[in-house]
Amino acid sequence: MNGEETVVQVYIREYVKQYMEKVFYFCLKKTGSQQEAEDLASDISVCIFAELRRGVIPQHFSAWVWQIARNRYSRWADIRHKRAERLSEIDIGECEAPAGELMEERLIRDEELALLRRELAFISSEYRNVLVAYYVEDMPVREVAKKLGLNMEAVKKRLIRARKLLRGGMSMAREFGIKSYNPEEVNIISSGNQPSGLPHSAIDSKISQNILLQASGNPSTIEELSIELGIAVPYMEEEVGKLVKATLLKRLGNKKYVTNFFIEDREIQLRIYAAQRKGAGERSRLADRIAEELIPTLRKLGIAGEHISDSDIKWWLVLYIIDFCIQKLEGYHSEWPEKRENGETWGVMGYESAELPEECGMGHSGCGTDEIMYWLYQIPDYNMWMRAGRMNYRETLLLGDIVKNKRSLSSLSESELEIWRPKGIEGRFAHTAEDGTVVPDILVFEGDALDEVKKAIAKHTAFETLLKNIQSAFDGTADILRESGIDVLHNQLDYCASMDISRIRMMTVHDEVDSGRLTVPADPARSTAAMWLELR
């Protein structure tokens, strides 16, 4: 501490560094308005500084700070309540500032109007539409009834009910949820046939993600979602409608909505990670042993050209061995248990943002037809997510046709050359030999070659031990999910456990690289390791 620094200065510095931002978020949660939060936080800070300069030396600084914050908030809420009480004696329609009123009175009325607008934003459309038509559009009850397709008595009842709701809301300090100022991230994974672009096209913003997160295992009304996220009901209604149409939210009979798929929270993710990590070392060694001993088999089958290194073959083979075992598991189901309303059968699962000890997500994607398919493992570490890139549909079909029919570069048409040329296939996924033949730079499985590899894996002496290891990890994963008690898991548990078990692939890669048994490509940006073509 600086010798010139007084005790008061030390406390002020500590408050600014450790508490000022926290006090602001406390105020934001209590007031629901950034401007009011700034004013209240400033009032609290000024009070704290004044007390310190007056000579108050708190014994427990943190408790003292929060006691002052709560006291100043109570004073603020009391003032707000008294102002709202004045409103209860007049009709809502009278909240217009008459000509010639004093500035102080105008400010009070402006605040009351702001409260009115705030509550209109958090009232359901059933009442909001009646209020807007009657007070804002100045329509008589008869016309309101005609416009909304109601009888006059229903309109009157809704107006009475709406006034009570508004006055009740205006008299309280709304406590918006944490998600209103600190939205969380939800990682969405999906599987299956998705021609409509769903589910990702419907979960394209933090708003939709946080609606789903808030309603996950927690049936909520639109009004409750609006207050939690700090979003006006008209906008929330539209977002909720979009998610219901996409079958990601389900409406319950009591006007509540619940997420229609499982979102794994942080605690469950950490528990599953620990369960899957237990046998990871043995799992990696077994997969490595099988891979090392099967590389000559792949070479004999002609799957890889001589220019493709054993290391590049092993990148694919280790991952494929793990995947092959996963697909043999008892209880493994990668297909969604029911068909979507639009006829699609894609599955979806979410993960609340969580910092696991290591990156465990891995992509597995491809494109093509039943006869020609291109696949790649997308590895999130070592700069190997996209590597040389990903072949598109036209590139896949052309390279597949070239390999199947042993075509030379000279046989390509002008339109095919456009696909072949640099930034297409050439130099990325294949190259031309001196004699003009096309040489693939990725693994190619023609005919029943892939089936032969599967047979070789299953016959290996270490296969059953590896399968038992992975089955144990899968069963442990399913047990943890089962304990969560979330209703939506009743018929989705096998699917979710199947999605979760895929995380062991990246654990295996980490163990292989860390042990030196698997080598990261010298130039990952140009690598085609763990990419392959299947030709039937």
Side-chain angles (χ1 to χ4, degrees), residues 9 16 19 41 71 75 180 302 304 333 347 354 409 432 445 451 500 532:
Q9 288 171 327
V16 171
Y19 293 94
N71 289 344
R75 179 176 176 276
S180 66
H333 294 288
L409 190 63
T432 309
F445 296 86
D451 293 331
D500 275 338
W532 73 103

Side-chain angles (χ1 to χ4, degrees), residues 15 23 26-27 40-52 54 56 58 60-76:
Y15 173 77
V23 165
F26 165 82
C27 296
L40 180 57
S42 176
D43 178 51
I44 292 168
S45 298
V46 167
C47 184
I48 286 171
F49 295 156
E51 288 294 296
L52 288 171
R54 198 167 57 84
V56 174
H60 302 290
F61 187 64
S62 179
W64 181 76
V65 166
W66 290 114
Q67 184 60 51
I68 290 177
R70 285 190 291 270
N71 289 344
R72 300 306 291 181
Y73 164 69
S74 295
R75 179 176 176 276
W76 176 89

Side-chain angles (χ1 to χ4, degrees), residues 155-172:
V155 171
K156 290 176 183 177
K157 285 182 178 179
R158 289 192 186 184
L159 280 170
I160 292 170
R161 174 64 178 151
R163 287 175 184 173
K164 289 180 180 178
L165 289 171
L166 281 177
R167 284 172 178 153
M170 291 168 73
S171 67
M172 69 189 228

Side-chain angles (χ1 to χ4, degrees), residues 243-364:
L243 293 170
V244 169
K245 186 177 180 181
T247 66
L248 299 170
L249 269 184
K250 179 171 68 175
R251 177 169 177 165
L252 304 177
N254 56 358
K255 293 186 178 180
K256 292 196 172 188
Y257 297 84
V258 67
T259 303
N260 204 23
F261 64 96
F262 184 61
I263 298 180
E264 206 166 275
D265 65 29
R266 294 183 185 90
E267 182 184 352
I268 292 177
Q269 288 180 61
L270 287 167
R271 288 182 63 198
I272 288 175
Y273 171 81
Q276 293 180 349
R277 246 296 163 199
K278 279 183 181 177
E282 180 194 32
R283 196 156 56 232
S284 173
R285 289 189 293 272
L286 290 168
D288 185 84
R289 177 182 158 195
I290 297 172
E292 282 285 352
E293 294 178 15
L294 289 189
I295 288 174
T297 301
L298 268 70
R299 293 243 182 240
K300 188 175 180 180
L301 289 169
I303 290 164
E306 291 182 4
H307 66 294
I308 296 178
S309 68
D310 284 359
S311 179
D312 278 3
I313 295 174
K314 192 174 177 181
W315 270 98
W316 172 83
L317 191 48
V318 166
L319 288 168
Y320 194 81
I321 288 167
I322 296 294
D323 263 349
F324 179 71
C325 289
I326 286 174
Q327 290 161 15
K328 297 285 185 183
L329 295 174
E330 200 175 309
Y332 177 80
H333 294 288
S334 62
E335 294 183 1
W336 189 250
E338 56 194 41
K339 188 173 283 189
R340 303 284 171 182
E341 290 179 10
N342 63 2
E344 295 177 355
T345 55
W346 46 266
V348 61
M349 187 177 174
Y351 293 89
E352 187 179 7
S353 181
E355 291 189 14
L356 298 179
E358 61 186 303
E359 174 61 64
C360 294
M362 178 183 290
H364 182 201

Side-chain angles (χ1 to χ4, degrees), residues 402 407-411 420 431-439:
I402 291 171
R407 296 175 60 186
S408 64
L409 190 63
S410 60
S411 71
W420 167 263
H431 66 276
T432 309
E434 292 182 2
D435 62 359
T437 58
V438 172
V439 181

